[in-house]
Amino acid sequence: MANAKQVMDFRPSKGITTAQSNEHQRRWTEKGWERAMSVGNYDPTREHLNFEIRAGKVCPIDKTRSIPERMSDNLLARGIKDPNAGLAEPRFRTVVNFIFGGSRERMHEIAFGSQIVNFDKGADNSHVERCKDIEEWAKDVYSFVCGKYGEENIAAFIVHMDEQNPHAHCTLLPIRDGKFAYKQIFAGKDKYEFSARMKQLHSDFSEVNKRWGMSRGSSISETGAKHRTTEEYRRHLSEECTNIEEQVVQHKKALSDLKVEISLAERRVKGLTSMVDNLRKAKAEKEYQLSALERTLQSHQGDTAAIIAERDRLEKELASIQTKLEDKQDKLRTADQQLEALKRDMDAIGERTEELKGEAYKYSREIHSNVDVLLKDVMLETLVREHSVRLGEMGLSEQSRFDGSLLQSLTEQGSEVMHCATLLFLGMVNDATTFAETHGGGGSSSDLKWGRDDDEDNRAWARRCMMMASKMMRPASGKKQKR
């Protein structure tokens, strides 16, 4: 299939909740299913098609133990302690959640073949059978994760075929050498290393999907899309400022220490320079005295034996002075080099300190500018939540007034609509379409060229992106979601 793209979503977390586990395993009561179907695109008549991979084999989903319980069993068997255990609030990233999939049409082909599947709400698809290809694809992806991070670290690998687009959820424990090591395995030393690792991960995954006719999509690290709330971003900026301030303090101390070292080095150079000058003068004086004695000998004046004895004494003193002079000159060269090195270090630290001050100022400005964004984000969240409560108090006829509205979309799929709108705003239309299709939306059926007008300002463009994202996240059938 032409232009079929792979999908790989990467989301680290500080654990997995029972609610998330129940969603992965479909451990829902009848009321739980009703609630899930009212807010999402689930088809209970296809739930029997779901499966999981355990030890490289296709198995029915084991619902006897939740994923948190499986994780606990895993750690206990390996003698590894959960660093978040006993903490009032979890602090460490102990779980990495992967979602693997691809373009909707291609995943449908792999999962259902030529069978006709009705994706309308309430449709009966109990006759649909699971194709062998989806099992083989899942085993390939499972092997890929095992090869990268170790089979023993996979807490769950579950494939869903009862949603709009077949996909796999992998719950991974970031453990290396018997310890949780998220930073070493994934994050790296800084954001640049993390970005490079994510790009490489997408490229490596594309090698797996070549067999299945899907090419590499754009990674989040490449597109620049962030799975972070405004509050998380503000906290990140604040942490950056704190880190920079700490570095500035360290640099100031280093500069102070260097000043002391430079002062001592300058004294040493000055002392050695004086010694060398004095030894050179003494050498010149001895050489002059020897020259005078040689002239006296050549003129055959005075006591020859006494003159020769004096000459031998002067030569010994001159040899001693020469040895001392060479020693002091070597020490002076070394001291000069050390002084220059200290001065270069001081200049470098001074320049870096100024750079850090500039960075701190920049981050500080970003924090203040993002306060406005945070307040608007909270306001929107509050309005949507209040609308959801009020909507539940209305009758069906009153609720229908909001059908197709942006407010309805934000109430039912707020985070998905916002993420899709962000991709559109950044000009990543293909990524937005893939995201919508893999998260229950029908995409946009319009053939019109989509893009920003030359004279369109940011607010107008953002408004259009929100409206388009709302449209793209609606189910393909065009029917409203049940409340």
Side-chain angles (χ1 to χ4, degrees), residues 236-275:
H236 162 73
L237 291 175
S238 181
E239 289 171 354
E240 287 289 340
C241 284
T242 301
N243 291 336
I244 289 172
E245 288 170 0
E246 289 174 352
Q247 290 182 58
V248 169
V249 171
Q250 292 171 358
H251 282 195
K252 285 182 177 178
K253 184 179 183 304
L255 285 171
S256 178
D257 293 341
L258 275 173
K259 286 179 181 178
V260 174
E261 290 187 47
I262 287 173
S263 178
L264 293 173
E266 286 175 339
R267 286 188 199 175
R268 180 170 174 76
V269 167
K270 184 177 180 180
L272 286 168
T273 301
S274 296
M275 289 180 187

Side-chain angles (χ1 to χ4, degrees), residues 47-60:
E47 196 245 339
H48 67 284
L49 303 177
N50 296 342
F51 63 96
E52 69 175 309
I53 304 293
R54 293 198 302 270
K57 297 180 180 178
V58 176
C59 309

Side-chain angles (χ1 to χ4, degrees), residues 99-112:
I99 300 177
F100 298 102
S103 297
R104 176 177 295 182
E105 291 183 21
R106 180 57 184 146
M107 291 306 295
H108 284 181
E109 188 177 30
I110 293 172
F112 308 118

Side-chain angles (χ1 to χ4, degrees), residues 114 225 260 262 287 299 357 370 378 388 428:
S114 59
V260 174
I262 287 173
E287 288 175 340
S299 64
K357 288 179 180 178
N370 276 279
V378 171
S388 181
M428 295 178 286

Side-chain angles (χ1 to χ4, degrees), residues 1 7 11 23 28 36 41 61 75 300 313 366 401 448:
M1 182 176 295
V7 170
R11 301 193 184 191
E23 198 277 338
W28 289 325
N41 294 290
I61 296 176
L75 297 179
H300 303 291
R313 184 185 67 79
E366 285 193 53
R401 297 177 183 176
L448 296 176

